């Protein structure tokens, strides 16, 4: 299999090295060859060349079976142009409409919620990944003055909403999950989110065996904290999904633990930890590599390599249970040493 590897910026580079270690090790253990091609795109490359992503960059990415990306964002490039082109650009250009973010607690001691254990925190969030407020339609008028007007439009299309809601139900059906919860803000956002309401009613009626519930996004945030066990599958828009999955990550032990996939079923998809480039930790060998390594497992699972993915997940679980982890989740290891432990346990 041919995999594109984009380490990116800051801790992205460090955690990607550990994900690559895990991929290489699982290949050895299962007799598989992964052809890894490292792409240098990121802040350094942009600052040196002025290029965020080359003109044929998206076509290059399409030629791989999957893409792994660390994180993008650098204090030297405050406008974040390279991150927009590489990360959001790839999501849009490759039409990766499913942002798949599992929220799974591995050990009770990692959860900041009182008396909650792994059986209480085990759900997935599907975030719409190609529309919403992130398409950047709008503009600024009289920018920088006291008369400034800033407009940012939220894009919601039937096609976009229908395919992500349908994906959530199909996932529930295929994985023995019995509930799907849709979250919007249709009480206040009465145009775009009326479309989410209509589609959710229509699609849910086609899945009578699955219980369909709805919360406004503010209530969802509250219920996630009060009673996470009620959730199995959550589906929501781009912005709300972005926010509630950081909340979900805290239930797992923090941003360093959370994995994600940007998926177009059947096409080249892209996998990345939920966290960013955490500049304050960059180059210090302190970042938690688990989110990145778990994202590599998601990538292999999506490519149909379920045994390989399960072997990586089992090694992560062992590392957590034996506290062979980084300081953010109570361990004493550095990024490389935590990655080494996990790689060694993959079998
Ligand atoms: N997908 C992405 O590439 C992505 C996502 C979010 C933010 N960003 C970018 O990253 C830069 C920093 O953003 P931010 O500080 O808001 O978010 P961040 O996720 O980089 O970091 C927030 C905080 O979470 C903790 N954290 C994150 N990852 C960790 C890890 N692996 N191990 C241990 N602790 C970890 C740290 O305390 C860190 O300061 C910005 O340039 C932002 O635009 C990129």
């Amino acid at each position: 299999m041919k995999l594109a590897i984009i380490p990116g910026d800051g801790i992205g580079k460090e955690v990607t090295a550990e994900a690559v270690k895990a991929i290489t090790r699982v290949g050895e253990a299962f007799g598989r060859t992964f052809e890894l091609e490292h792409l240098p795109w990121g802040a350094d490359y942009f600052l040196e060349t002025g290029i965020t992503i080359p003109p044929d960059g998206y076509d290059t990415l399409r030629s791989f079976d999957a893409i792994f990306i660390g994180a993008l964002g650098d204090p030297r490039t405050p406008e974040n142009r390279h991150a927009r082109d590489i990360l959001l650009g790839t999501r849009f250009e490759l039409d990766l409409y499913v942002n798949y973010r599992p929220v799974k607690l591995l050990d009770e001691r990692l959860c900041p919620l009182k008396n909650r254990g792994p059986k209480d925190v085990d759900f997935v969030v599907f975030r719409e990944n190609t529309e919403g407020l992130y398409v950047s339609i709008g503009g600024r008028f009289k920018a920088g003055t006291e008369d400034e007007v800033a407009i940012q439009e939220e894009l919601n299309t039937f096609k976009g909403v229908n395919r992500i809601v349908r994906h959530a139900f199909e996932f529930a059906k295929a994985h023995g999950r019995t509930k799907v919860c849709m979250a919007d803000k249709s009480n206040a956002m009465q145009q775009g989110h009326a479309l989410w309401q209509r589609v959710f009613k229509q699609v849910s009626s086609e899945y009578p065996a699955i219980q369909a519930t709805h919360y406004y996004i503010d209530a969802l945030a509250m219920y996630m904290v009060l009673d996470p066990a009620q959730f199995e599958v959550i589906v929501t828009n781009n912005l709300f999904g972005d926010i509630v999955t950081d909340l979900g990550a805290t239930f797992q032990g923090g941003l360093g633990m959370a994995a994600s996939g940007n998926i177009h079923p059947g096409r080249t998809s892209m996998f990345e930890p939920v966290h960013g480039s955490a500049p304050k930790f960059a180059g210090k060998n302190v970042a938690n590599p688990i989110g990145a390594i778990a994202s590599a497992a998601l990538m292999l699972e999506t490519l149909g390599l379920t045994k390989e993915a399960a072997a990586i997940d089992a090694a992560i679980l062992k590392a957590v249970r034996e506290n062979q982890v980084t300081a953010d989740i109570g361990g004493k290891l550095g990024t490389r040493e935590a990655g080494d432990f996990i790689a060694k346990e993959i079998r």
Side-chain angles (χ1 to χ4, degrees):
M1 287 201 167
K2 245 181 95 192
L3 307 174
I5 308 286
I6 307 174
D9 304 329
I11 64 165
K13 294 180 188 170
E14 293 162 79
V15 298
T16 298
E18 302 316 311
V20 165
K21 239 183 232 172
I23 294 167
T24 308
R25 172 67 201 127
V26 86
E28 287 162 10
F30 288 80
R32 279 193 183 279
T33 311
F34 296 108
E35 202 182 304
L36 307 180
E37 188 170 329
H38 281 69
L39 301 170
W41 309 336
D44 289 340
Y45 185 76
F46 175 52
L47 289 168
E48 273 163 33
T49 64
I51 296 167
T52 57
I53 179 164
D56 60 351
Y58 302 122
D59 282 336
T60 302
L61 291 178
R62 282 189 195 96
S63 72
F64 290 90
D65 291 299
I67 305 154
F68 184 92
I69 187 160
L72 293 161
D74 187 299
R76 295 169 299 168
T77 56
E79 285 184 357
N80 239 359
R81 236 188 76 204
H82 71 294
R84 260 204 90 72
D85 287 359
I86 299 166
L87 194 63
L88 292 183
T90 302
R91 287 176 181 168
F92 294 148
E93 291 291 327
L94 273 64
D95 199 26
L96 306 176
Y97 65 91
V98 177
N99 194 302
Y100 171 40
R101 295 186 162 187
V103 178
K104 191 169 163 55
L105 174 62
L106 298 182
D107 192 288
E108 188 170 338
R109 81 181 161 80
L110 300 185
C111 189
L113 302 175
K114 216 177 350 173
N115 302 326
R116 299 291 180 195
K119 68 175 181 359
D120 302 304
V121 180
D122 183 7
F123 58 90
V124 303
V125 178
F126 288 109
R127 157 187 172 193
E128 201 295 317
N129 213 25
T130 50
E131 302 194 339
L133 275 161
Y134 290 16
V135 296
S136 211
I137 294 176
R140 288 163 76 199
F141 179 51
K142 299 187 181 175
T145 74
E146 291 193 357
D147 294 323
E148 179 164 347
V149 178
I151 294 176
Q152 185 120 18
E153 300 281 5
E154 189 185 83
L155 183 79
N156 297 277
T157 68
F158 175 81
K159 177 185 165 189
V161 178
N162 184 53
R163 65 185 182 174
I164 189 71
V165 170
R166 210 163 269 285
H167 186 86
F169 278 93
E170 281 297 318
F171 176 92
K173 196 170 139 189
H175 292 82
R177 306 258 179 158
T178 58
K179 294 191 260 184
V180 173
C181 174
M182 189 274 276
D184 63 18
K185 190 67 187 168
S186 50
N187 50 346
M189 299 177 72
Q190 291 175 347
Q191 311 307 329
H193 295 198
L195 176 59
W196 280 79
Q197 285 287 325
R198 170 168 87 84
V199 170
F200 189 61
K201 279 199 186 75
Q202 186 181 320
V203 174
S204 60
S205 72
E206 296 171 30
Y207 296 83
I210 294 171
Q211 187 192 332
T213 54
H214 166 260
Y215 286 134
Y216 298 123
I217 188 65
D218 38 352
L220 176 81
M222 175 187 69
Y223 285 121
M224 277 174 66
V225 174
L226 279 181
D227 179 21
Q230 69 177 285
F231 298 108
E232 294 187 3
V233 176
I234 293 171
V235 60
T236 189
N237 71 21
N238 207 338
L239 175 68
F240 297 162
D242 193 358
I243 297 169
V244 297
T245 51
D246 268 31
L247 178 60
T250 66
F251 300 172
Q252 297 168 266
L255 270 176
M257 297 295 289
S260 80
N262 303 272
I263 298 169
H264 187 123
R267 292 200 203 158
T268 302
S269 296
M270 175 170 75
F271 299 81
E272 52 169 340
V274 170
H275 65 75
S277 57
K280 71 175 183 198
F281 286 171
K284 296 187 175 150
N285 195 37
V286 296
N288 185 346
I290 289 182
I293 298 171
S295 301
L298 272 190
M299 174 168 72
L300 300 186
E301 187 193 359
T302 307
L303 289 169
L305 306 181
T306 46
K307 283 196 213 115
E308 288 82 345
I312 296 178
D313 286 337
I316 292 173
L317 186 60
K318 189 153 199 274
V320 168
R321 288 203 174 136
E322 296 184 9
N323 209 24
Q324 298 296 315
V325 292
T326 46
D328 57 307
I329 54 167
K332 292 197 172 100
L333 301 186
T335 308
R336 285 189 292 277
E337 294 71 26
D340 284 342
F341 181 89
I342 292 170
K344 184 170 63 63
E345 291 299 328
I346 294 171
R347 50 181 72 117

